C-alpha cells in the first residue's frame, strides 16, 4: 500500500558532543504545508539537513516520496528543493548567472515563472549577489527553489531578512504552489503567527524530541490554557508555564478533567481559554510537566 505521506522519518538519531537528535518520528502528509517549530538548538535544521543528505544519521529511516534519502539521492534532489539561509550563491557573482547555472540541472525549470518571481520579489537579474542584503539573498534562494516547481519544498527559516510585503509575497507564492495536491512544503520557522495562519500541520520539537504533531487546527482545539489561583503545586496532567504568586497558568489537553482536579484541590478563579500557536509552543517547550 502506497504511503499518503510525502516525507516519513522513523527512528532518526544523530549525536553531537552537546546535542542528540531523536529518536525522531515525523510524518508530512502529501499535499500539505507542515510547520516544524522549536527553540534555537532544538534540532530543526539538523533534521532538514539530514533529509538532504547533509550529514549521516546514526540510526533511522528517511523517505521522501517513497524514496530512501540516501539510496535514491539523485531522484530526491530532482523532485525536492531545499531553501536554507546557510546556502551561498556568491561564487556566481550575478543573479542571472546563478539562475542560468541552476536551471541547467532541472528539466522542469519554469523560466516564465522564474521571471514572475524575480519581479514579485523585486530582484534585478543583473545585480551582484555580493551586494544583496540578507533579505535579497533569501529571495534569490526562494526564486531558485520555487522556479523548479518542486514536488517537495523544504525551507529552513525562509522569511529571514524579509520585510512585511516580501513575507506576504512568499506565503502567497506558497499557497499558489499548493494549488494542487502534487506539492508538499515542510517549513521550519520562528514566525509562529504566520505558521498558524498558513500551515495544515504543525510539529513541535525541543531538545531533539518531537513533543507534539498533528493538524494545526486540531492541535489548537485539543489544547487549552487553564488559569487559576492556588497556593500550592497544581495537580498532575498539565504543563505549568506561568506563575505570578498564587496565580498560575497551565497548558493541558484535557481541560474539563483538569478543571475538576483543580476544584478538588481548592483552586479558585478557574478559567479555561483557547491557545494560539505561540501559547501552545510556550506551554510545550517552556512548561514544567506535572505528572
Amino acid at each position: 500500500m502506497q504511503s499518503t505521506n510525502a516525507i516519513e522519518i522513523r527512528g532518526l538519531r544523530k549525536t553531537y558532543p552537546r546535542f542528540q537528535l531523536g529518536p525522531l518520528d515525523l510524518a508530512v502528509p502529501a499535499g500539505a504545508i507542515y510547520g516544524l517549530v522549536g527553540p534555537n538548538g532544538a534540532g530543526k535544521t539538523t533534521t532538514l539537513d539530514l533529509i538532504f543528505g547533509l550529514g549521516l544519521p546514526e540510526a533511522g529511516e528517511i523517505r521522501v516520496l517513497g524514496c530512501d534519502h540516501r539510496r535514491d539521492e539523485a531522484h530526491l534532489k530532482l523532485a525536492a528543493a531545499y531553501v536554507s539561509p546557510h546556502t551561498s550563491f556568491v561564487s556566481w557573482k550575478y543573479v542571472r548567472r546563478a539562475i542560468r547555472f541552476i536551471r541547467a540541472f532541472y528539466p522542469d525549470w519554469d523560466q516564465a515563472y522564474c521571471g514572475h518571481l524575480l519581479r514579485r520579489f523585486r530582484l534585478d537579474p543583473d545585480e551582484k549577489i555580493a551586494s544583496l542584503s540578507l533579505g535579497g539573498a533569501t529571495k534569490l534562494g526562494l526564486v531558485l527553489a520555487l522556479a523548479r516547481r518542486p514536488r517537495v519544498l523544504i525551507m529552513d527559516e525562509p522569511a529571514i531578512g524579509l520585510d512585511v510585503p516580501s513575507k506576504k509575497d512568499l506565503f502567497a507564492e506558497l499557497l499558489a504552489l499548493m494549488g494542487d495536491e502534487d506539492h508538499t512544503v515542510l517549513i521550519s520557522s520562528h514566525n509562529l503567527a504566520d505558521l498558524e495562519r498558513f500551515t495544515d500541520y504543525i510539529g513541535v520539537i525541543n531538545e531533539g524530541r518531537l513533543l507534539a504533531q498533528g493538524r494545526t487546527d486540531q492541535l489548537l482545539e485539543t489544547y487549552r490554557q487553564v488559569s487559576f489561583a492556588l497556593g500550592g503545586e497544581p495537580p498532575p496532567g498539565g504543563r505549568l508555564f506561568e506563575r505570578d504568586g498564587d496565580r498560575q497558568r497551565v497548558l493541558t489537553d484535557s481541560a474539563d478533567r483538569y478543571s475538576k482536579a483543580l476544584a478538588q484541590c481548592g483552586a479558585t478563579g478557574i478559567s479555561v481559554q483557547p491557545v494560539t500557536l505561540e501559547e501552545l509552543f510556550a506551554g510545550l517547550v517552556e512548561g514544567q510537566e506535572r505528572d
Side-chain angles (χ1 to χ4, degrees), residues 84-161:
S84 168
H86 306 297
T87 304
S88 174
F89 305 101
V90 174
S91 59
W92 287 290
K93 197 171 182 179
Y94 294 98
V95 169
R96 55 181 165 78
R97 286 186 183 175
I99 292 172
R100 186 166 63 241
F101 180 84
I102 296 296
R103 75 184 180 193
F105 291 94
Y106 300 101
D108 293 332
W109 180 276
D110 188 334
Q111 186 58 31
Y113 184 42
C114 178
H116 161 78
L117 292 170
L118 289 171
R119 292 188 295 274
R120 180 148 201 172
F121 288 130
R122 295 167 291 282
L123 270 180
D124 183 352
D126 293 320
E127 188 167 1
K128 284 187 176 181
I129 295 174
S131 69
L132 293 174
S133 65
L134 175 60
T138 298
K139 292 175 186 178
L140 177 56
L142 292 169
V143 170
L144 294 175
L146 288 168
R148 295 169 44 194
R149 296 192 182 273
R151 291 183 60 193
V152 174
L153 178 61
I154 298 176
M155 316 176 79
D156 188 13
E157 295 294 344
I160 190 168

Side-chain angles (χ1 to χ4, degrees), residues 10 12-13 18 23 50 52 85 107 123 173 181 189 192 228 234 250 254 264 269 277 280-281 290:
R10 297 178 182 174
L12 183 65
R13 190 170 70 247
R18 297 183 181 180
L50 288 173
F52 264 75
L123 270 180
E173 291 301 331
E181 296 182 357
S189 176
L192 300 183
F228 54 92
V250 167
S254 53
Q264 292 172 357
L277 180 56
L280 174 63
F281 174 85
R290 302 292 173 177

Side-chain angles (χ1 to χ4, degrees), residues 26-54:
L26 187 148
V28 180
I33 299 178
Y34 184 113
L36 184 63
V37 301
N40 290 332
K44 303 185 300 297
T45 297
T46 299
T47 301
L48 303 189
D49 283 350
L50 288 173
I51 293 174
F52 264 75
L54 304 178

